[in-house]
Amino acid sequence: MRIVMALGGNALLPREAAPEHDVQRRHIAESAAAIADIARRHEVIITHGNGPQIGLLALQALAHTNVAPYPLDVLGAQTQGMLGYLIAQALTNHLGESRVAAVLTQARVNPLDPAFKKPSKPIGPIYSDTQVRELAARRAWTFTRDGAGWRRALPSPEPLEILELPAIRSLTDAGFIVVCCGGGGIPVVKQSGNTWTGVEAVIDKDLTSALLATHLGADGLLLLTDIDAVYADWPTRNQPIDEITPELLRQYKFDAGSMNPKVEAASRFVEQTGGFASIGQLTEASALLTGRRGTRVSASKPDLH
């Protein structure tokens, strides 16, 4: 089977962990073990989040008072390169081969997307109420809830096109494990004269992953995070959803900054392709693939008996 595996930023770097190199490398090495188990038996394309990493780079850029901060599209490219390198190297170490390629990926967005007027995508570390008040006053940042704390929020426009799709398809067809679409892709817009430029935004990685999986003709989409399943009663977490159709799944309400994009991505992929999507923990990826763990979204009505 051809499987797109979308690795959440919090799956690669736990929420409360320091975004340090050694911490990230250790968690990515652990993640690579779960990915490699599937890659030995299936065609695998890997996408990944970059929220903690791009947020850290943005903070570091502000520390250089005599240098203008780099724009977010450039910081996104930096995180793609860093995480692509770490993931590719960890997979090569596990699989004992070098047929892993990281592709710097751009995603086209609409400059008139209404998301630009309503920042909602969390990036960076978790802040306390006191820190939020200080940063909002000093930096004029917008924040969104993330668990018990807050994270900086940025516009999250809809991904419309993956510019490097032909290269990703060619590498996959040639037998490579491809790491791509990091952070949902670098958001770019086409200007007059057919020129491209980046914009200040962060694309949702799961929506780009669904778009990628659809155009690659994938059989399945695994949305991997630090939560073991989708819960009908979040945050109480007493009612995990095991198997469900997109139609039924859309009847529930989920947090706009975290679970809702995964639910939407899973539903879109299933509706457009007839394949399956699973949402759950990265460490349980093999069990998610077979439907033994997590939440499985499929076109067929689940058997409740």
Side-chain angles (χ1 to χ4, degrees), residues 17-251:
E20 297 176 354
H21 170 72
D22 290 342
V23 175
Q24 292 183 87
R25 184 181 285 274
R26 183 172 67 254
H27 283 285
I28 287 172
E30 294 170 356
S31 301
I35 298 168
D37 185 51
I38 293 176
R40 291 186 180 97
R41 295 172 283 118
H42 303 283
E43 291 183 344
V44 167
I45 304 96
I46 299 163
T47 67
H48 59 85
N50 70 343
Q53 293 80 13
I54 196 171
L56 178 62
L57 288 182
L59 287 173
Q60 290 175 339
L62 290 172
H64 297 279
T65 56
N66 60 335
V67 177
Y70 280 21
L72 280 172
D73 59 310
V74 174
L75 298 184
Q78 289 179 333
T79 60
Q80 278 197 23
M82 174 182 68
L83 290 170
Y85 157 66
L86 292 174
I87 295 169
Q89 186 178 80
L91 278 171
T92 299
N93 290 340
H94 273 280
L95 295 169
E97 56 183 87
S98 59
R99 293 183 68 81
V100 184
V103 177
L104 199 66
T105 314
Q106 303 169 85
R108 180 174 66 87
V109 301
N110 183 349
L112 300 179
D113 192 306
F116 284 106
K117 295 182 179 180
K118 188 177 180 181
S120 62
K121 186 64 178 175
I123 69 165
I126 294 178
Y127 297 104
S128 66
D129 291 351
T130 301
Q131 291 173 313
V132 165
R133 285 192 293 269
E134 177 188 349
L135 287 168
R138 184 157 49 98
R139 304 291 185 193
W141 286 355
T142 300
F143 292 87
T144 185
R145 271 287 180 189
D146 191 329
W150 300 83
R151 293 173 71 190
R152 183 185 175 190
L154 290 171
S156 185
E158 183 86 11
L160 303 177
E161 178 186 2
I162 298 168
L163 271 60
E164 286 73 23
L165 180 64
I168 296 168
R169 180 183 288 114
S170 294
L171 286 166
T172 302
D173 290 344
F176 281 83
I177 298 170
V178 183
V179 184
C180 60
C181 297
I186 303 163
V188 296
V189 297
K190 181 177 280 190
Q191 299 177 306
S192 60
N194 287 329
T195 60
W196 295 90
T197 188
V199 293
E200 292 281 289
V202 176
I203 303 173
D204 185 83
K205 169 263 309 172
D206 296 311
L207 295 183
T208 301
S209 299
L211 183 66
L212 176 70
T214 298
H215 286 294
L216 288 179
D219 300 286
L221 172 64
L222 301 186
L223 301 168
L224 305 166
T225 182
D226 57 351
I227 304 299
D228 62 339
V230 179
Y231 284 79
D233 60 340
W234 182 266
T236 306
R237 297 178 67 175
N238 290 324
Q239 300 179 41
I241 299 172
D242 298 323
E243 186 176 2
I244 195 167
T245 63
E247 180 183 7
L248 293 175
L249 187 57
R250 290 181 189 278
Q251 295 179 11

